[in-house]
Amino acid sequence: MTPTDSRRSVVPPYLLHAVAQAAEFPRAASAARTALASLEAVQAPKHRHLVAPRSLSSTGTGTGTGTGTVDRSPQRTIADARGTTTLPGAVVRREGDADTGDAAVDEAYAGLGATHAFWLDVFGRVSIDGAGLPLDATVHFGQDYDNAYWDGSRMVFGDGDDEVFRRFTIALDVIGHELAHGVTQYTADLTYQGQSGALNESISDVFGSLVAQYAAGQTADQASWLIGEGLFTDAVHGDALRSMRAPGTAYDDPVLGKDPQPATMADFVVTTDDAGGVHTNSGIPNHAFFLAATSIGGHAWQGAGAVWWDALTSDAVTASIDFAGFAAVTITAAGSRFGAGSAEHTAVQDAWRTVGVLG
Ligand SMILES: [Zn+2]
């Protein structure tokens, strides 16, 4: 465990390190140093004690039945830290309240609502714990804060520095990504280190992307498959933080460097940074999902997304599972859901072979 593994942040430490050294962007560099310091100050136990044991949480596996008296409507509360780093901040919008006119508040509210609707409509899951957990968020965290993160119980959004990063509520897939960390926490609880950590990151990219695709009504062919599109300012040579379609191509900037994500096992990154490369090697399972989803076609949440959900909630997935182990579970899940030898079953097998996880 490293000190940085307790927050599930959307911007990886290696990217913050690059921004922190950017003489061209003094405000962003200062903001990135602050963001790095806050990441490194957080101790793992602060997060871990908030994690609900899997045995105590519903896995919400599909139909929505069995949720009993759980209130199926979202219960959102948005707080404003007003430029401080004190959580939770002052409550500024509760469930049912009208727009406030503060873009960060209203984007967070809408994004939490879209994410709640995705999980309920598609998988019958009531909120991230499957039992109606209230969705809490804090906006305007810190000064120019260059990140968004899930702290185990709430989403926290910075405003960005406006030189490199815009405010983090802009991207619905980022909101979906962070809340998916909550879903993972309440289901497979994948250990945030090495390959299981990269799977944890990838699951968040997968379902974050699906939240955005579902909200936009996009098919797999229509989706951008970018993560964090719109977060970079126009000064950055890049489209997004990550690309599931083509990992390693999301940005290539003279100041920030090049997107380091591999697409296949041939380029797997061996490192002790970033909890063993959780934000880099996630490119491999991300690309496998993209390949499976686009091969199956249609709405990705009904094909590959359903298979990944079945896997995430399968007892066969252990907290420390590696890529090959997870791949095997998805293949079994695809066969169970769509039939052995079905196009979906074959697509999932081929995807994992193409990225080199299976021989
Ligand atoms: Zn993440």
Side-chain angles (χ1 to χ4, degrees), residues 46-91:
K46 183 179 175 186
H47 167 73
R48 299 305 300 179
H49 83 268
L50 294 167
V51 175
R54 185 177 185 173
S55 59
L56 295 181
S57 63
S58 164
T59 51
T61 50
T63 62
T65 56
T67 52
T69 57
V70 170
D71 185 346
R72 295 165 71 85
S73 58
Q75 297 298 323
R76 291 165 285 183
T77 303
I78 313 298
D80 185 345
R82 299 191 169 128
T84 73
T85 54
T86 304
L87 294 174
V91 172

Side-chain angles (χ1 to χ4, degrees), residues 23-295:
E24 295 85 341
F25 302 121
R27 184 173 173 180
S30 172
R33 285 192 289 272
T34 303
L36 275 168
S38 77
L39 268 185
E40 287 159 3
V42 177
Q43 296 302 309
K46 183 179 175 186
H47 167 73
R48 299 305 300 179
H49 83 268
L50 294 167
V51 175
R54 185 177 185 173
S55 59
L56 295 181
S57 63
S58 164
T59 51
T61 50
T63 62
T65 56
T67 52
T69 57
V70 170
D71 185 346
R72 295 165 71 85
S73 58
Q75 297 298 323
R76 291 165 285 183
T77 303
I78 313 298
D80 185 345
R82 299 191 169 128
T84 73
T85 54
T86 304
L87 294 174
V91 172
V92 288
R93 189 170 178 188
R94 289 191 170 84
E95 188 62 42
D97 289 351
D99 276 0
T100 63
D102 180 322
V105 172
D106 297 334
E107 286 166 352
Y109 184 88
L112 292 178
T115 304
H116 186 277
F118 168 81
W119 285 105
L120 183 61
D121 296 352
V122 177
F123 298 120
R125 185 172 181 84
V126 185
S127 192
I128 59 177
D129 65 343
L133 188 78
L135 296 173
D136 297 331
T138 295
V139 299
H140 301 311
F141 177 80
Q143 295 285 336
D144 297 341
Y145 187 70
D146 273 342
N147 226 331
Y149 65 89
W150 164 253
D151 79 347
S153 62
R154 72 171 45 241
M155 284 224 49
V156 180
F157 299 96
D159 291 326
D161 56 66
D162 274 339
E163 286 182 337
V164 170
F165 289 107
R166 295 196 173 96
R167 66 176 184 275
F168 284 80
T169 49
I170 276 180
L172 176 58
D173 59 348
V174 166
I175 297 175
H177 173 108
E178 297 302 336
L179 290 178
H181 278 308
V183 174
T184 295
Q185 176 183 318
Y186 282 100
T187 53
D189 199 18
L190 296 161
T191 303
Y192 206 65
Q193 178 72 37
Q195 289 196 17
S196 62
L199 285 168
N200 191 319
E201 269 304 312
S202 177
I203 293 292
S204 275
D205 280 351
V206 162
F207 289 105
S209 182
L210 292 182
V211 165
Q213 290 176 35
Y214 180 72
Q218 292 175 328
T219 62
D221 287 342
Q222 294 166 334
S224 73
W225 297 99
L226 294 169
I227 302 297
E229 193 174 13
L231 280 187
F232 285 136
T233 66
D234 293 340
V236 176
H237 297 202
D239 300 320
L241 293 173
R242 291 182 284 279
S243 170
M244 299 176 71
R245 179 191 301 278
T249 68
Y251 59 90
D252 189 355
D253 182 84
V255 175
L256 302 185
K258 186 177 180 300
D259 173 7
Q261 280 210 312
T264 71
M265 288 302 282
D267 297 317
F268 185 90
V269 177
V270 178
T271 177
T272 56
D273 290 343
D274 189 26
V278 297
H279 291 91
T280 42
N281 292 318
S282 57
I284 297 166
N286 274 1
H287 194 52
F289 184 85
F290 162 82
L291 291 170
T294 50
S295 172

